[in-house]
Amino acid sequence: MDNISIDSLRQNARQVVSDARTVYVSPYEEWSPDELRDLLVQYKIPIRDSANASHEMLVRICDTVFGAETAQEERESLRRFTIEDLVTMEAAVRVIQKAFFRRQALKRELRNAQHFHQQFFQHHQQQQQQQHHEGDQEYTDYDCEDEMEDYGYDVEYSMGRRQSMLRRINEQGDDYDEETEVEWRKPSWKFAKKFEAANRPHRSGKQMARYDCSHVTLGRHCYAGGCGEQLDLWNEGRTSEFSQFGSGITNYFKFLKWCSWVMLIISIFHLPVLFINTLGTNDKIGLSISAATTTFGNLGSAAAVESVDLPGCDETEFQFSHCEIEKNKLAIMYAYIDVIGTLFFTIAWLWLRTFEAKESRVLNRSTVSASDYTIRLTSVPEDTTEKELAIHFAETTGEAVAAVHLAFNNSKEISMYVQRGKVMQQRYKCVQKIRYEKTMKKENRGQRKRLKKLMREREDLTLLVRQKDEKRSRVVSQDQKAIQAFVTFETEAGFVAAMTKYSLSWFRTAWCCYPEMLKFKGAKLIIEQAPEPSTIIWENLEYSSKGRFFRKCLTTSVAFLAILFSVLLTFLARDFQSKVIVNASMPCPAGFFEQDQAYQLELVTNNLDLSHCYCSTLGATEQWNINQCHDHLVTTGKATATSYGAGFIVVFMNTSFTWLMDHAGAFEKHQSLDHMETSNMVRVFLLKFINTGCLVLLYGQKWLQNLVGISFDDATDFNVEWYATGGTSLMIVMFMNVFAPHGGSFVKYLRQRAKIRRLERNLTEDKETKDSQKVWYTQEELNDFYRGPSFRLHYRYSQVLVTIYVCWMYAISMPLMPLFGAVSCYVSYWVDKFLFCNFYRTPPMYSDDMGKRCTTLLGYLIFLHLGMSLWIMGGEEIFQGEPLSGEDYPVDVRKGIRSTTLQEKLLKKHLLPIELTIAVLVAAICLSNVSSTFLKRVCGCLRCLTCSKGLKLKNLKNNMNTVQVDYSSARDREIIKGLSSYNILQNPKYQEAFAITPEFAVNHNRVTSIRGYNTKEGDLCLQQTF
């Protein structure tokens, strides 16, 4: 018995081990969750919360309840439908639904008609009885019709226009009558809040958490280790949390940080200049505004003042022989300070350019976007099809093609569909109002009148849509021609292979050496990396480069006229200010300020032209109490008001330039949003820079004075009067630019938040809006209430560039300017960061083109600043200077200043450091360009001899994503940043413009597929999603 029991135990143990090694696979494992739920419903087995049950749980339940036999039987009986079957079934369902709605509408009309006739005849009998007793005349047929209209029954409308319209519309198969019979559903506040979260910048994940502007880190341009890490005082790191929005956004905020730090350090370099200027000896500056006392103008003219007191110097305390410094030696010290600031700015600029390129490479490797897989064909044969292109590139590269999208010469059609979409938006809102009246309002006379008015409005809008469709069919050619194509490969290796094969030299492309295997239908193809799909302007792809150049010339002419208008306004303000200051320009008598106040007042009483000598030392209240100072106080007030007025004129014109260039950019028909905004940024910057920083330099130009018809007697470059007028106005403008560019956006933010708080305070207990406050007829209307404005990157870049250019260009003579620039960039950083996190909508995936263009423009600023320093320091109005030869120049007694030629002006000791800096920088640039050009030529010859692709292939591979993932997989897993398709209908901007839904866009890819009158109906499905 013992042996038998031991053997049985061993056998059982072997069976247990065998069962453990054998993995049981349920027959329901291959079933989808929907099929498992249908099976449970078919056998009437209730499962609580089955919609959220996992696939594993559903498999376990079905395996326990039914077993393997039922799975086999049900699997065999389960029918598989093809796409054609599903389409046919859907069409049949719509026919049945349409017939059902028509029958219900007919029943309702019959009930309403019976109810109406019953009430009408009862009322008619009562009127007849009353007339019979009172002896009134009988009713006529016209009276009956008028009375029927009083009851809300429009005979002509119901029998004529409405029936003919319905007959015409229903012949085309559109759901015209049925759309008004659908029950109105209240727009969801919860959906609007989720819409707001989805459309503003948010963190990745389903929670769509809002960024906290006080804690979010945006990184900086720095080394990851070593000295760069030690200088990271605020532990910002190099990685930006805004990296999911593209390198354009991350580089912008890092650019603001760079500008703030650079301008702050330059302002520290110029602190000695600020202190010495403030303690100058000129009294005329004090007449206009105190800010001018910090400029060169407060040092006095070269003819009147030869030395300046050193600030904080006391001969008795420090035992100095004298506490004065000659202005010629002071000029040399200022020149060295300026050279130190220039060298620092140059090093910082090289740092910025290096790390901006590194930032772009890092983000390109770590961020998956649709452009990583897509090439753009700038021209294709007119009869090209998607299938032909897919086959061609699959055979050429040996890689699979995921999708091909063609661009056609349909700019007119797109613009007409945009106009149609606006009407469709109005029609959809009208239909929603009709549904609201039928669903939420009681039937009475007022309700019937409102319905009649809305039904007529719907008819008018429907007719307008039909007219636009007919116009489009007449104007737009049915035989559209392909002009460009976007080919998306399944892998990034396919994109690299295509770019490599088609990166031919200009010689092989232009002449007869183009490979035959690369031609498509006998045509040469020119390809480039496609821009981000969210930045493509599809209606502009039809326009040629020549046409865009002609349009750009027109907009440039308009911008030139705008500049002339700004010059005229500024010259008028400058002329008025000069006339005011001339009235207070008489020199004070010698020893005037050493006398007591009684004697000074007596001199002023005898000669009121000297009132500025006495009154400038008093406060505004004291001047008002003294009769002799009234005129001086008024003169000072006019001069100050004119300075601020000129500043407001410049700010107003800068705002006008932004508006003008926005319209000009749309007129120029750029093919992508990146190109359009980069072009707008450059020209808005140039216009603002000329208007802000260059107009004050034009006061002394005689040709311009003759052009506008205004002349200035004291219009000498950078003299004391210039700093008191033009220089003061410029400093006021830059001070206002610290806050003025953000005022409008911040006011809009505060107004929107106030409206949102007022709405959310009046919500019901179910978190729904109250109709007593305002009726939101459509979900889109409520969504738009929560949607913020666009983040205009080109406007911000241009504003920052203007600030940096103007502030550093005049830094040597106005040392407060770099400080204004630092504060302005710091304020811009925090305001834009706050509004980006809380107000603006999610921006498109901007590339780094705009940032690179700004960095290039900053390189020109280095030479512009040095040139301005030469002009200011060599003008001989403030600093006479000493010649390099040591010889003195003859004095022109009539002018009171030294008269020299341009060559003699440049050959001064205090200008030598600046001139040597210019020479060194020019030599360095020439050597760099010559060496780089030489190396490129040599490497190009070597690549040509060895038939090698060289650096092109290497750069493409270096920019490939760190983690390789297929396009289809990345799209399905939703890891592609921005839009994942080059289908025009899947672009949210065009969906809104065309008045279509995302569901419609998924199943169509041509603009011509938009049909019918209910293209907005998909919004009801979106509400159920949440």
Side-chain angles (χ1 to χ4, degrees), residues 317-330:
E317 182 177 356
F318 295 98
Q319 298 181 357
F320 289 164
S321 59
H322 57 276
C323 287
E324 294 182 350
I325 183 173
E326 294 182 5
K327 291 181 68 174
N328 292 337
K329 295 181 180 180
L330 183 64

Side-chain angles (χ1 to χ4, degrees), residues 764-985:
T764 63
E765 295 181 357
D766 298 332
K767 296 297 182 181
E768 296 295 340
T769 58
K770 291 183 180 180
D771 293 345
S772 59
Q773 299 293 327
K774 179 181 179 180
V775 179
W776 303 94
Y777 294 103
T778 65
Q779 185 67 55
E780 279 192 349
E781 194 177 7
L782 187 56
N783 293 346
D784 290 338
F785 181 76
Y786 279 92
R787 178 158 45 186
S790 301
F791 185 74
R792 305 175 64 188
L793 189 61
H794 71 286
Y795 167 74
R796 282 158 176 79
Y797 263 127
S798 62
Q799 185 62 43
V800 175
L801 274 179
V802 170
T803 301
I804 299 299
Y805 257 73
V806 176
C807 288
W808 196 43
M809 190 171 71
Y810 294 95
I812 184 62
S813 62
M814 303 178 186
L816 271 182
M817 294 292 248
L819 184 60
F820 287 164
V823 174
S824 178
C825 293
Y826 182 79
V827 171
S828 297
Y829 172 78
W830 280 106
V831 171
D832 287 343
K833 183 180 179 181
F834 174 80
L835 295 180
F836 187 86
C837 296
N838 298 282
F839 186 43
Y840 294 116
R841 67 183 70 171
T842 303
M845 291 286 289
Y846 286 111
S847 67
D848 58 346
D849 292 344
M850 211 177 303
K852 290 181 178 178
R853 185 67 63 87
C854 285
T855 304
T856 303
L857 291 173
L858 282 180
Y860 300 129
L861 175 58
I862 298 174
F863 292 96
L864 179 62
H865 167 75
L866 292 173
M868 283 296 300
S869 297
L870 283 178
W871 187 5
I872 294 172
M873 299 283 290
E876 297 186 338
E877 297 292 336
I878 305 297
F879 299 104
Q880 181 61 46
E882 298 178 357
L884 291 176
S885 61
E887 299 178 358
D888 201 0
Y889 301 116
V891 178
D892 191 336
V893 180
R894 291 172 299 174
K895 295 183 178 180
I897 62 172
R898 302 180 187 275
S899 177
T900 59
T901 63
L902 177 61
Q903 181 180 359
E904 293 172 341
K905 286 183 177 181
L906 293 177
L907 296 178
K908 299 291 184 66
K909 290 183 179 180
H910 67 282
L911 299 181
L912 184 60
I914 300 176
E915 294 168 347
L916 289 178
T917 304
I918 295 176
V920 170
L921 292 177
V922 170
I925 292 175
C926 293
L927 289 175
S928 176
N929 289 337
V930 169
S931 60
S932 60
T933 304
F934 177 75
L935 289 176
K936 286 181 180 179
R937 298 299 183 189
V938 172
C939 294
C941 294
L942 293 176
R943 288 196 301 270
C944 182
L945 294 175
T946 58
C947 298
S948 173
K949 297 296 182 182
L951 296 177
K952 183 75 173 179
L953 178 60
K954 183 179 179 180
N955 292 334
L956 289 173
K957 289 184 176 181
N958 288 337
N959 288 329
M960 292 178 64
N961 293 324
T962 306
V963 179
Q964 290 295 306
V965 59
D966 294 344
Y967 169 77
S968 300
S969 176
R971 180 192 57 199
D972 297 339
R973 291 162 55 190
E974 298 182 354
I975 63 175
I976 294 180
K977 302 301 181 184
L979 290 180
S980 60
S981 174
Y982 284 83
N983 181 1
I984 180 177
L985 300 182

Side-chain angles (χ1 to χ4, degrees), residues 542-598:
E542 181 181 353
Y543 293 90
S544 63
S545 57
K546 294 181 179 179
R548 293 196 298 273
F549 176 77
F550 176 72
R551 289 171 176 266
K552 186 172 290 189
C553 292
L554 290 179
T555 56
T556 304
S557 302
V558 174
F560 179 74
L561 294 177
I563 281 291
L564 286 181
F565 179 72
S566 179
V567 168
L568 179 61
L569 293 180
T570 307
F571 268 53
L572 289 174
R574 169 70 170 82
D575 181 52
F576 178 78
Q577 188 180 24
S578 298
K579 292 178 180 178
V580 170
I581 292 180
V582 165
N583 296 331
S585 61
M586 180 176 290
C588 300
F592 178 85
F593 295 101
E594 285 76 12
Q595 305 296 328
D596 55 9
Q597 290 190 354

Side-chain angles (χ1 to χ4, degrees), residues 47 143 173 222 237 261 598 620 654 704 722 740 760 824 847 879 964 1018:
I47 301 295
D143 294 330
C222 66
W261 278 108
N654 286 344
L704 191 57
W722 185 91
E760 295 180 351
S824 178
S847 67
F879 299 104
Q964 290 295 306

Side-chain angles (χ1 to χ4, degrees), residues 978-998:
L979 290 180
S980 60
S981 174
Y982 284 83
N983 181 1
I984 180 177
L985 300 182
Q986 293 188 23
N987 190 324
K989 181 182 71 173
Y990 289 99
Q991 287 180 8
E992 183 178 356
F994 296 155
I996 60 176
T997 61

Side-chain angles (χ1 to χ4, degrees), residues 61-310:
I61 294 173
C62 293
D63 201 14
T64 304
V65 175
F66 302 113
E69 296 181 359
T70 305
Q72 185 65 24
E73 294 175 0
E74 293 295 335
R75 196 67 173 175
E76 292 176 356
S77 62
L78 188 63
R79 182 179 176 186
R80 297 291 183 180
F81 297 102
T82 62
I83 297 298
E84 290 78 8
D85 295 335
L86 293 176
V87 172
T88 305
M89 293 167 61
E90 183 181 2
V93 169
R94 289 184 62 83
V95 171
I96 297 172
Q97 186 183 35
K98 185 176 180 180
F100 173 77
F101 285 149
R102 186 179 292 111
R103 184 173 180 180
Q104 294 296 323
L106 182 60
K107 287 182 179 180
R108 178 176 293 188
E109 274 193 32
L110 291 175
R111 287 197 303 269
N112 293 339
Q114 292 175 0
H115 180 68
F116 161 74
H117 285 295
Q118 184 179 0
Q119 286 188 343
F120 172 73
F121 285 116
Q122 288 178 359
H123 180 74
H124 187 63
Q125 290 176 0
Q126 294 176 1
Q127 292 290 338
Q128 281 186 338
Q129 293 176 2
Q130 183 178 358
Q131 290 175 6
H132 179 71
H133 291 295
E134 296 178 0
D136 293 341
Q137 61 179 2
E138 294 183 356
Y139 276 30
T140 62
D141 293 340
Y142 179 79
D143 294 330
C144 290
E145 290 185 2
D146 289 343
E147 192 172 347
M148 293 170 72
E149 289 184 356
D150 293 338
Y151 269 83
Y153 194 88
D154 190 343
V155 178
E156 182 182 0
Y157 173 79
S158 61
M159 293 182 178
R161 184 179 178 184
R162 181 174 184 274
Q163 294 296 335
S164 61
M165 171 62 70
L166 293 179
R167 191 181 306 111
R168 291 197 305 271
I169 301 299
N170 283 323
E171 285 177 357
Q172 297 183 357
D174 294 305
D175 302 332
Y176 187 77
D177 282 336
E178 293 79 354
E179 65 179 358
T180 60
E181 304 301 326
V182 177
E183 181 182 1
W184 180 80
R185 275 180 275 188
K186 192 180 188 66
S188 171
W189 175 80
K190 295 180 180 179
F191 178 85
K193 291 295 290 183
K194 292 189 176 182
F195 177 86
E196 178 196 17
N199 282 271
R200 71 159 187 268
H202 58 270
R203 298 184 183 275
S204 301
K206 295 183 179 180
Q207 299 297 327
M208 294 183 292
R210 184 193 298 265
Y211 285 107
D212 185 357
C213 69
S214 61
H215 294 92
V216 62
T217 58
L218 304 187
R220 63 185 182 89
H221 294 306
C222 66
Y223 289 106
C227 181
E229 187 174 358
Q230 299 300 324
L231 293 175
D232 191 1
L233 303 180
W234 285 270
N235 196 24
E236 297 171 290
R238 198 173 67 182
T239 304
S240 172
E241 295 186 43
F242 287 171
S243 59
Q244 62 172 321
F245 306 113
S247 58
I249 299 297
T250 58
N251 278 335
Y252 168 69
F253 284 101
K254 292 183 178 182
F255 178 73
L256 284 178
K257 288 184 179 181
W258 180 91
C259 292
S260 300
W261 278 108
V262 169
M263 297 307 292
L264 178 61
I265 295 175
I266 290 179
S267 64
I268 294 174
F269 289 158
H270 285 75
L271 283 179
V273 182
L274 175 64
F275 293 148
I276 296 175
N277 290 350
T278 306
L279 299 177
T281 59
N282 190 35
D283 300 318
K284 189 181 296 186
I285 291 295
L287 294 175
S288 57
I289 191 169
S290 59
T293 59
T294 63
T295 65
F296 277 2
N298 203 41
L299 299 177
S301 63
V305 180
E306 297 182 355
S307 62
V308 177
D309 294 333
L310 293 176

Side-chain angles (χ1 to χ4, degrees), residues 57 134 268 348 357 461 475 506 617:
M57 181 179 292
E134 296 178 0
I268 294 174
L461 293 174
V475 174
W506 65 270
T617 60

Side-chain angles (χ1 to χ4, degrees), residues 328-465:
N328 292 337
K329 295 181 180 180
L330 183 64
I332 296 175
M333 185 185 75
Y334 282 0
Y336 278 111
I337 291 175
D338 189 64
V339 168
I340 293 173
T342 302
L343 294 178
F344 170 78
F345 188 91
T346 304
I347 296 172
W349 175 72
L350 295 174
W351 174 284
L352 174 66
R353 192 174 65 170
T354 301
F355 279 97
E356 272 191 345
K358 187 175 293 186
E359 176 81 7
S360 301
R361 289 195 299 269
V362 171
L363 285 183
N364 288 337
R365 290 177 61 84
S366 59
T367 305
V368 181
S369 62
S371 62
D372 294 337
Y373 304 89
T374 308
I375 61 173
R376 172 185 177 183
L377 281 68
T378 56
S379 62
V380 293
E382 297 177 352
D383 57 345
T384 301
T385 62
E386 291 91 342
K387 184 177 180 180
E388 292 173 343
L389 276 177
I391 295 174
H392 171 76
F393 279 98
E395 293 177 350
T396 304
T397 62
E399 299 288 343
V401 176
V404 177
H405 294 90
L406 294 177
F408 299 93
N409 57 339
N410 58 348
S411 60
K412 292 183 179 179
E413 183 181 26
I414 292 177
S415 62
M416 289 183 176
Y417 267 112
V418 171
Q419 297 174 4
R420 183 186 191 273
K422 294 178 181 178
V423 181
M424 287 298 302
Q425 295 279 10
Q426 300 175 10
R427 186 183 182 279
Y428 176 67
K429 186 175 182 179
C430 178
V431 171
Q432 289 296 96
K433 289 182 179 180
I434 294 174
R435 293 173 179 175
Y436 172 80
E437 291 289 337
K438 290 187 175 182
T439 305
M440 306 300 294
K441 296 295 184 180
K442 293 182 179 180
E443 188 175 357
N444 52 39
R445 183 175 182 179
Q447 188 254 6
R448 286 193 294 270
K449 284 187 176 181
R450 290 193 300 270
L451 271 180
K452 183 173 67 173
K453 181 179 179 181
L454 290 172
M455 294 294 285
R456 287 178 175 173
E457 182 182 353
R458 184 182 69 133
E459 280 194 6
D460 294 339
L461 293 174
T462 304
L463 284 174
L464 186 58
V465 173

